Amino acid sequence: MSAAPPAPVFDVAVIGGGVVGAAVARELAGHHLSVVLVEARSDVGDGTSKANTGILHTGFDAGPGTLESRLVARGHALLSAYARETGIPVEYPGALLAARTAEESAALPALQAKAVANGYLRTELIGPDAVYGLVPALGPGVLGGLTVPDEAIICTWTTTLALARDARARGTVILLDHPVTAAVDTDGITTLRTPAGPVRTRWTVNAAGLGADRIDALFGHDRFTVTPRRGELLVFDKLARPLVDRIVLPVPTAVGKGVLVAPTVYGNVLLGPTAEDITDRTATGTTEDGLAFLLDKGAELMPRLLDEEVTAAYAGLRASVTGRDDYLIEADPDRRYVLVGGIRSTGLSASMAIAEHVRETLAASGLDLRERTDLPPPPAVPYLGETGIRPYQDGERIAADPAYGEIVCFCERVTAGEIRDACHAPLPARTPDGLRRRTRAMNGRCQGFFCGSAVERMLAGHTGGHGCTARCEPPADPAPPRPSRPSRTVREEKARGRGSSRPTR
């Protein structure tokens, strides 16, 4: 029997299929390079990227002069434009920092000065009457505020999906279920070992998020440690949305941005997150202590919100780097390797600018980059927001295809046509959670209690009952590479003294 041919050699392998990794792969695939995106999980955007607050930050409160400050500001502009091109839902309600103590009130001018130092000039200091004029439902005791008019809300799910689809359309090969366990360098080629087979590459970009320090160690480095920071959030029903028409931020502390109240592009209201440093990188379950903490904060921030029903509770893990207050993006030209580490909660906002910076870092390290002129147009992703027209509201679309008028998930108004499309699109849904992120199915008040069995039958019917595929090839004829539970009100839950143990959604 003849030996199997060696695996192809890619110009660049990007490890990590979250929003940053997808953005990097897309950016590099805009050049005459063969690119592979290597993801440990069974879907893109299935780790840190799926479970954040969905806020598109301006960077007004980042550390002046830091790489994070520069890239968040640039990323806000880039992602805003990209959302318009692809149909990613984004809204600009602005933000309000509400000071409740004399110490917080005294800190507001310094925050405004920090914004100016970061190049953001549109903040405004306002008094308590103006604060309550903007958000009447705030709890008593506010002493003043700072407005940030360009803070926005965005759909994190379709952001990652759009970037990954774009990368694929540009020729990137996407390998799912490929956790990297070793990196062996031989004659200028790095072999990334995975249980699903080797991946050979000339250059490697580590955008592995919570696992970035472990991948870094495979390349011979010991320069940082990721500490998972668990953030738990409560999702309130859409009936709560009139209470919150803008993002309400606390005055930030050294630990983080604190607990906020914010609308979502899906029509809900978020309360959270908590900030708990843990050791388990898989601990995405919610906790009784976390729920109790959020209830206390909610009673202080906006008591009326606690009269509304909770749709879900979820938790996400952020990749906090102990002792470091900035992104860590560094090249090792000898190993033909770039680390993209320390990307904290602002990673969504900065993702496209991080990708630009990685491209510049690779060029400065010796990678030959020649921009392509034959790029396909950006992909159109499913519109999951509440401010535009969804398929069930589109008469012309329903007339052309009645499946868009057949509602399957009544809480979120998701149709059979959308579920079908999500199962047959590039980077298709292969699991119920993947379908949630592409359609909002089972993500409403009943959390799939009513529609879950029907949705899962449709998913199995469209996918043949198979799990996710391990390899997502680029489309035909890409540009050739160079050789080589029912809800309860919070008041009811508080009276029962119970928290939620729902896993991340």
Side-chain angles (χ1 to χ4, degrees):
M1 179 182 295
S2 61
V9 178
F10 294 92
D11 291 317
V12 185
V14 181
I15 303 175
V19 67
V20 172
V24 171
R26 170 193 172 274
E27 178 69 26
L28 296 178
H31 298 75
H32 289 279
L33 298 169
S34 56
V35 181
V36 60
L37 182 63
V38 185
E39 167 55 38
R41 296 175 181 255
S42 61
D43 197 4
V44 295
D46 192 40
T48 297
S49 297
K50 73 180 179 184
N52 59 37
T53 56
I55 294 178
L56 179 55
H57 295 286
T58 58
F60 79 98
D61 60 344
T66 61
L67 181 60
E68 181 181 20
S69 170
R70 176 166 65 84
L71 297 185
V72 172
R74 171 70 174 157
H76 183 281
L78 290 172
L79 189 47
S80 292
Y82 192 66
R84 291 191 293 269
E85 292 181 311
T86 58
I88 297 167
V90 61
E91 301 174 37
Y92 296 85
L96 169 69
L97 282 84
R100 295 182 171 276
T101 67
E103 182 181 5
E104 291 179 350
S105 185
L108 292 179
L111 281 170
Q112 185 177 48
K114 179 183 279 190
V116 171
N118 283 321
Y120 186 77
L121 309 179
R122 284 167 45 80
T123 62
E124 181 182 359
L125 291 165
I126 60 175
D129 291 343
V131 169
Y132 285 110
L134 292 174
V135 188
L138 280 175
V142 174
L143 303 177
L146 181 72
T147 63
V148 190
D150 298 298
E151 293 280 294
I153 54 176
I154 193 168
C155 176
T156 181
W157 300 330
T158 48
T159 298
T160 306
L161 183 63
L163 291 166
R165 282 189 180 178
D166 209 350
R168 183 178 180 274
R170 293 177 174 198
T172 298
V173 172
I174 298 179
L175 300 180
L176 304 175
D177 292 316
H178 276 64
V180 175
T181 59
V184 180
D185 200 1
T186 306
D187 297 329
I189 303 298
T190 299
T191 299
L192 303 175
R193 292 178 177 167
T194 84
V199 180
R200 302 170 72 213
T201 181
R202 295 182 177 87
W203 288 81
T204 306
V205 176
N206 173 7
L210 286 167
D213 56 341
R214 295 175 175 175
I215 299 297
D216 201 44
L218 298 181
F219 284 83
H221 296 281
D222 182 17
R223 49 185 155 179
F224 74 110
T225 300
V226 169
T227 300
R229 180 167 292 168
R230 180 164 53 196
E232 301 180 46
L233 297 102
L234 292 175
V235 183
F236 287 83
D237 188 75
K238 293 175 176 61
L239 293 175
R241 180 63 183 268
L243 295 175
V244 187
D245 65 353
R246 69 193 62 230
I247 304 161
V248 181
L249 300 171
V251 178
T253 69
V255 175
K257 295 181 183 297
V259 173
L260 57 82
V261 180
T264 74
V265 294
Y266 320 114
N268 302 95
V269 173
L270 290 180
L271 173 66
T274 59
E276 177 191 5
D277 288 346
I278 59 177
T279 58
D280 186 348
R281 303 187 190 208
T282 66
T284 57
T286 55
T287 67
E288 185 174 353
D289 287 345
L291 177 59
F293 175 82
L294 292 177
L295 291 177
D296 288 342
K297 285 294 183 181
E300 176 186 343
L301 291 168
M302 190 174 287
R304 291 170 57 189
L305 184 61
L306 302 193
D307 293 329
E308 303 296 331
E309 292 189 336
V310 170
T311 296
Y314 70 94
L317 299 179
R318 291 162 278 173
S320 174
V321 176
T322 304
R324 185 172 181 88
D325 295 324
D326 199 3
Y327 294 168
L328 181 57
I329 302 178
E330 295 181 357
D332 179 351
D334 293 336
R335 289 297 306 266
R336 303 169 311 285
Y337 166 73
V338 174
L339 166 67
V340 185
I343 311 301
R344 300 173 296 180
S345 58
T346 54
L348 168 63
S349 304
S351 56
M352 297 186 76
I354 292 172
E356 285 187 340
H357 186 71
V358 169
R359 183 244 302 157
E360 293 165 358
T361 301
L362 284 165
S365 300
L367 179 63
D368 180 22
L369 287 166
R370 292 177 292 115
E371 194 168 356
R372 289 171 52 186
T373 59
D374 60 343
L375 294 178
V381 293
Y383 183 79
L384 303 188
E386 285 290 290
T387 59
I389 297 176
R390 300 267 307 285
Y392 80 93
Q393 300 168 310
D394 191 336
E396 292 185 6
R397 193 170 186 179
I398 293 169
D401 185 345
Y404 293 116
E406 182 186 342
I407 294 178
V408 180
C409 171
F410 285 85
C411 293
E412 296 297 291
R413 306 293 194 267
V414 179
T415 67
E418 293 169 273
I419 293 173
R420 175 202 62 206
D421 294 349
C423 293
H424 295 281
L427 294 178
R430 293 300 186 209
T431 65
D433 278 346
L435 193 60
R436 286 176 185 268
R437 294 192 295 273
R438 289 162 173 81
T439 66
R440 286 173 40 182
M442 304 183 293
N443 221 50
R445 299 184 78 185
C446 83
Q447 290 287 285
F449 182 84
F450 178 76
C451 68
S453 60
V455 169
E456 293 194 21
R457 280 197 305 270
M458 293 184 66
L459 175 64
H462 285 297
T463 62
H466 301 300
C468 72
T469 56
R471 185 181 185 98
C472 293
E473 296 285 1
D477 301 321
R482 292 205 313 262
S484 33
R485 70 201 156 85
S487 59
R488 301 181 185 274
T489 65
V490 173
R491 181 171 291 171
E492 289 173 325
E493 293 290 351
K494 193 171 185 179
R496 288 170 172 78
R498 290 205 299 258
S500 172
S501 59
R502 299 187 75 86
T504 295
R505 292 299 188 190

